[in-house]
């Protein structure tokens, strides 16, 4: 199948698909691989791909683009708060960030499930989308209906978004070191029903370095973003830098976004968006409502979405063999890309 982006999507099949479906209970609808780029995505992506690619951005949009688990939600909350809630008194600030800042490509994840109408977002967005139709993609409708200024999330790389993106909107790309990413993504893949990973850590590291996880290849994602880092509409952010000195990073964002916040406002927002504070608010919200999206036995055993929130927590969790695999893979890929990560702060 040819997509508007020019990519050709081919269904994964045979032994590769069978193995993935044994390890990921959530991928019953299959996966596709795109050429060029070798992007791996859930099969329902093809239903929404052209709509996402042809999406009209506005001059006031900020798009937060990341490979999964690189600090997307944190950055969304920081940016949304800086733009909409500088004094921390917005009446809607306590609803989850996903109901304020749409995840534009999430419809394909919802459509991996059995019942697209049983969608948690449906209830949250009814003020924004008057007649929502989950079959047509709730996240897409939410994005289209959201008033300015929109803070939008995507895990898709540049080549799957409109080519004039940076000419129109601002993009914040967030990157995180691959060792923390793989452990964070492993937990997420076990936690979320849409993926329901049941394999081992060892197998998961193999999926990661073999570029078989959705939204990968990890390095290709970076390779498309890194050369664009000096574009005036682009801001490149590292998770580890935010962790080391959030206020310094908020200051840079203040300049990039033109939000003109005072030092005192930035200080308060840095505290408000800290791991502990965001985790606390999330627990309060879901304690009263519950959620059907997560595997509860995993969240009871290993925690929920807010797992550790650290840079360097991979230490002691990866075996020497697993670490070497990631190091070798990093060495090969870094040759073509002049980027270096901090592996702890
Ligand atoms: P861990 O699994 O390592 O804890 P994303 O939003 O891209 O899915 O990234 C999720 C990762 O960011 C998780 O990492 C999560 O705990 C962490 N995270 C979320 N909010 C954070 C915050 N305010 N400060 C630091 N890390 C945060």
């Amino acid at each position: 199948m040819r997509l508007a982006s020019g990519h050709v999507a081919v269904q994964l099949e045979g032994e590769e698909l069978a193995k993935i479906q044994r390890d990921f209970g959530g991928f019953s609808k299959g996966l596709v691989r795109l050429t060029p780029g070798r992007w791996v995505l859930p099969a329902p992506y093809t239903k929404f791909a052209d709509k996402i690619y042809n999406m009209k951005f506005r001059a006031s949009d900020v798009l937060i683009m990341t490979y999964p688990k690189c600090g997307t939600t944190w950055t969304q909350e920081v940016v949304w708060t800086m733009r909409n809630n500088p004094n921390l008194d917005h009446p809607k600030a306590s609803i989850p960030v996903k109901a304020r800042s749409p995840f534009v490509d999430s419809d394909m994840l919802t459509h991996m499930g059995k019942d697209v109408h049983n969608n948690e977002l449906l209830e949250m967005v009814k003020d924004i989308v008057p007649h929502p139709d989950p079959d047509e993609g709730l996240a897409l409708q939410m994005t289209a209906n959201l008033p300015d200024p929109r803070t939008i999330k995507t895990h898709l790389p540049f080549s799957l978004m409109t080519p004039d993106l940076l000419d129109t909107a601002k993009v914040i790309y967030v990157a995180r070191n691959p060792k923390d990413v793989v452990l964070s993504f492993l937990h997420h893949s076990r936690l979320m029903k849409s993926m329901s990973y049941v394999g081992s850590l060892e197998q998961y590291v193999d999926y990661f370095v073999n570029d078989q996880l959705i939204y990968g290849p990890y390095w290709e994602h970076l390779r498309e973003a890194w050369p664009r880092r000096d574009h005036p509409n682009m801001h490149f952010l590292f998770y580890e830098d935010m962790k080391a000195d959030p206020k310094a990073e908020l200051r840079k964002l203040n300049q990039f976004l033109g939000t003109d916040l005072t030092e005192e406002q930035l200080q308060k927002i840095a505290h408000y968006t800290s791991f502990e504070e965001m985790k606390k608010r999330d627990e309060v919200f879901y304690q009263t409502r519950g959620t059907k999206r997560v595997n509860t036995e995993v969240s009871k055993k290993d925690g929920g979405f807010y797992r550790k929130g650290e840079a360097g927590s991979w230490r002691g969790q990866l075996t020497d063999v697993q670490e070497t695999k990631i190091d070798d893979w990093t060495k090969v890929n870094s040759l073509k890309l002049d980027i270096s990560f901090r592996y702890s702060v």
Side-chain angles (χ1 to χ4, degrees), residues 108-126:
M108 63 176 163
L109 302 171
T110 313
H111 281 241
M112 288 202 293
K114 287 187 190 74
D115 180 8
V116 297
H117 294 262
N118 188 6
N119 185 339
E120 218 169 78
L121 203 56
L122 200 55
E123 183 60 23
M124 291 182 196
V125 303
K126 59 178 195 275

Side-chain angles (χ1 to χ4, degrees), residues 68-74 155 176 184 239 243 273-275 278 305-310:
K69 311 318 291 175
C70 289
T72 331
T73 317
W74 185 12
H155 286 319
R176 187 181 190 188
S184 183
Y239 180 98
K243 213 48 222 180
T273 55
S274 67
F275 179 77
M278 284 183 62
F305 175 85
Y306 292 88
R307 191 183 64 105
K308 287 187 183 294
E310 291 167 3

Side-chain angles (χ1 to χ4, degrees), residues 58 60-61 84 100 128 142-151:
R58 308 174 193 159
S60 57
D61 286 341
N84 301 281
R100 294 175 273 121
I128 303 164
M142 179 189 169
T143 309
N145 281 278
L146 207 64
D148 294 349
R150 302 187 297 182
T151 301

